[in-house]
Amino acid sequence: MIGADAIRGHIDLILLAILEHGRSYAYEISKTLERRSSGEYTIKQTTLYTAVKRLQAQGLLDAHEELSETGKPRTYYALTVEGHEQLALKRDEWRSTRALVDQFAVPTGDAQPSSAAQPSHEQDQVPS
Amino acid sequence: MIGADAIRGHIDLILLAILEHGRSYAYEISKTLERRSSGEYTIKQTTLYTAVKRLQAQGLLDAHEELSETGKPRTYYALTVEGHEQLALKRDEWRSTRALVDQFAVPTGDAQPSSAAQPSHEQDQVPS
DNA sequence: CGACCGTACTACGGCAGACGTACTACGGCA
DNA sequence: TGCCGTAGTACGTCTGCCGTAGTACGGTCG
């Protein structure tokens, strides 16, 4: 189960990425997310709706209502040009973040530099 | 430059991972972080100090004061047994999160393997 | 000799974002 | 009839990162 705080800050990236493949509406996005995470992550309705509105307010998403077969309105969201740009930026940021966390989180990488000799400080003698 | 919101939720993991190699104190941790991120990420003093205290309150860190050569007290933090356990759990969570975000962050189809740019491994079991 | 810089830490308040809970509304199914 | 799935809204809370600022001491430079 993936906690919310873990993906906090990456939600925007995920939403933009999902919409990259074509427009969608909030409810469908939540299902997409749940499916593609194999049930590991379920975004809360409120979180999602506030997120898409935030992105829309930032001009990254374009909203337009349409009637579904049932006759009920559905709000479709699609990436704007700026949305595409931001998506690229956020992808880059994600790669940086991932590299940073991996450096600490994944010790299995390969020779993590001087494990015990980490203190490359000079006056860092640990007394006692 | 890595934004704070990007690593939000992963700070605990990073701190625990740093302390895995041995005790340290807040100020030194901040320097370690800055150095190991090649200056890409500088944690704010307040963020760090509140974080270590939070971890300590959760029983993941053990604090003990000691005098540095200058005679000023320095608070060293070290992982507790529970801290080690939590570190393992958070590493797992990170791998899940990374797998999830990667799924969206990496353009589908032309899977960008970390190749040379990302020396970190990609070997994760992605539950289907 | 005094100002400033680096070390080491503390206190207070603000703000963004994820969450809990709950409500509306309609169609289908048992 | 009443619950479930779909689709979305409203309101208040809590966590956690940040800005700002202050304390305290030693070393260095001018």
Side-chain angles (χ1 to χ4, degrees), chain B residues 29-45:
Chain B
I29 291 172
S30 75
K31 293 300 158 189
T32 302
L33 252 172
E34 205 165 342
R35 182 164 34 82
R36 291 188 54 182
S37 71
S38 309
E40 285 240 338
Y41 177 58
T42 303
I43 195 168
K44 298 298 179 282
Q45 300 274 68

Side-chain angles (χ1 to χ4, degrees), chain B residues 38-98:
Chain B
S38 309
E40 285 240 338
Y41 177 58
T42 303
I43 195 168
K44 298 298 179 282
Q45 300 274 68
T46 46
T47 302
L48 177 57
Y49 284 102
T50 54
V52 289
K53 275 167 197 279
R54 185 175 60 243
L55 291 174
Q56 186 195 354
Q58 287 169 10
L60 308 186
L61 295 186
D62 214 36
H64 96 110
E65 278 191 23
E66 215 168 284
L67 296 186
S68 59
E69 312 79 41
T70 69
K72 280 179 299 181
R74 211 183 248 167
T75 308
Y76 281 91
Y77 293 94
L79 287 194
T80 60
V81 172
E82 216 188 318
H84 278 285
E85 291 167 9
Q86 276 299 309
L87 173 55
L89 289 178
K90 283 174 188 299
R91 271 204 238 261
D92 280 349
E93 194 182 344
W94 161 246
R95 276 187 257 266
S96 296
T97 304
R98 193 184 57 178

